[in-house]
Amino acid sequence: MTQALTTVYDPFGDAFQSNPYPAYHELRENDPVHRHAEPGFWALSRFEDIWTAVRDNSAFSSESGLTFYPDEIGQLGLAPTIVMLDPPRHTRLRSLIAKGFTPHRVLSMEPLIREFVRGRLDEMAAMIAQGETVDLHGDFSSQIPTFVLAELFDLPEGERDQFDPWVRALTSLQDSGFDIQALEAKDAVAQMFGYFSELITARRANPGDDMISVLAHAELDGERLTDWDILGFCFVLVAGGNDTTGNLISHGVMLLDGDHAQRDRLVAEPELIPNALLEFLRLEGSAQGLARTTLKPVTVHGIEIPEGEKVMMLYASGNRDEREYGPTAGELDITRRIPRHLGFSSGVHFCIGSHLARLQGRIALEELLARHPNVGVDLDNAVRLKSAFTRGWTKLPATGLSS
């Protein structure tokens, strides 16, 4: 896959989507408060500016949506989910949801996830033995979060086959900027919402030990989550946590294939994998950027952004800012000290599923590198996901595998 280089920030341009980092560098150095004409929005590209903005709920709101489209929530035709709320409502809702999404509950899934990952590796070995090409992303990385979500929701085995197309539909909805009217898979989204609505009702009546049951009965000062609150959180987990986690794993393999010395070190010292995952996310962020809306005029570097304007927080640019990470900001260093990063955002909207994503990434790389220490990717035949908000893959052939 040949990377065309451009220093022009064009979220929809093929050259930019192939390699956005030269354009991000140009913004950081010469246009850190960028005004984009069509669709009309602003963009912040330096780490400190983004870090400050996403932690300032008095000036930057999530309640008008997460993309640069002006009427995203209206286009969606649904009530806002937790990621599209501000404090204090967001704070109470997150506290309730946290009761069903604790680190302990997530960590207890490790044996199940590890068993599934080993099973995928066995299936990949069978494919290799038959002379088939393994798609690292489609056959491995993206399969893991789909399995984990099905386990979290305790979906019956016989109904899990229909879950995968729903996941793809919600992921494409996110990548389209939440324009449900333009979405070819909108029927699948409707089917999923109908299915989960019935599931929530059933779990309220007959709770189990799954996340939906816990959320259905969570209570804080007499307040319980509504059906829409739970449904909206399921939406967020699927749309925001599925392909992003798969892309984290795939990008990690890609980055290590570009530096075999560091790949060899991870093979020899797997205890470095947790820090390496943060470095992968810093260099190749699954979420390239999300928007906030100004609640009042805001001045950044002497430029005033008026009230009511969409502002893209370019996380992927901030995460490569030399002002934060020094002159090697654009290079891979699996031992890099990373006290702050924007891979999971920051502030009140820090990703509630970050510990789940890191758990999946750790297990995936531990098992993959142990089985295939020379694993790499064929970038010449890879296909990038086309999205203004997410950086990832639709096809990523694997190399260096053995049966």
Side-chain angles (χ1 to χ4, degrees), residues 245-299:
T245 301
N247 285 320
L248 167 60
I249 298 167
S250 292
H251 278 136
V253 176
M254 180 201 76
L255 289 166
L256 291 174
D257 197 26
D259 191 328
H260 292 174
Q262 295 198 64
R263 184 181 65 187
D264 293 345
R265 185 169 182 186
L266 273 192
V267 171
E269 302 177 65
E271 64 273 14
L272 296 177
I273 288 176
N275 193 77
L277 286 168
L278 290 182
E279 178 72 344
F280 301 154
L281 197 62
R282 186 189 70 81
L283 277 174
E284 287 282 3
S286 300
Q288 290 283 286
L290 295 173
R292 300 286 194 272
T293 300
T294 50
L295 295 174
K296 58 186 179 183
V298 177
T299 301

Side-chain angles (χ1 to χ4, degrees), residues 30-189:
N30 300 308
D31 193 10
V33 188
H34 172 73
R35 175 62 181 170
H36 205 76
E38 184 61 37
F41 66 93
W42 299 78
L44 301 182
S45 52
R46 291 182 181 175
F47 183 96
E48 194 66 43
D49 297 336
I50 299 167
W51 180 268
T52 300
V54 297
R55 298 168 70 87
D56 184 0
N57 304 114
S58 69
F60 294 93
S61 169
S62 297
E63 293 197 344
S64 293
L66 305 178
T67 75
F68 44 57
Y69 294 106
D71 188 29
E72 167 191 327
I73 295 177
Q75 286 287 330
L76 189 59
L78 300 167
T81 65
I82 185 173
V83 294
M84 298 175 184
L85 296 174
D86 293 335
R89 177 58 184 160
H90 172 274
T91 304
R92 289 188 62 81
L93 194 59
R94 184 169 174 126
S95 296
L96 278 164
I97 286 172
K99 293 178 179 292
F101 205 58
T102 63
H104 174 74
R105 175 177 290 274
V106 169
L107 193 60
S108 70
M109 298 186 69
E110 178 164 353
L112 276 175
I113 299 173
R114 195 173 294 278
E115 180 182 5
F116 178 80
V117 169
R118 288 173 176 172
R120 292 308 307 165
L121 291 171
D122 289 342
E123 291 190 30
M124 288 162 56
M127 292 174 64
I128 297 166
Q130 295 171 12
E132 299 178 32
T133 298
V134 172
D135 179 348
L136 180 78
H137 190 72
D139 295 324
F140 182 70
S141 305
S142 67
Q143 295 288 327
I144 299 168
T146 300
F147 165 78
V148 169
L149 289 175
E151 285 292 325
L152 278 173
F153 300 146
D154 192 24
L155 301 186
E157 289 290 340
E159 299 176 7
R160 292 190 178 191
D161 286 347
Q162 60 186 330
F163 185 59
D164 191 53
W166 293 344
V167 169
R168 290 197 300 269
L170 282 190
T171 300
S172 64
L173 175 61
Q174 170 187 265
D175 296 334
S176 71
F178 298 95
D179 183 359
I180 199 167
Q181 302 307 317
L183 181 69
E184 293 180 2
K186 62 183 178 182
D187 288 343
V189 175

Side-chain angles (χ1 to χ4, degrees), residues 4 12 34 81 115 121 128 169 172 212 281 287 293 305 307 315 323-324 331 351 365:
F12 302 102
H34 172 73
T81 65
E115 180 182 5
L121 291 171
I128 297 166
S172 64
I212 292 177
L281 197 62
T293 300
I305 303 174
E307 180 181 350
Y315 302 139
R323 296 162 187 79
E324 179 71 12
E331 301 172 14
C351 177
L365 286 174

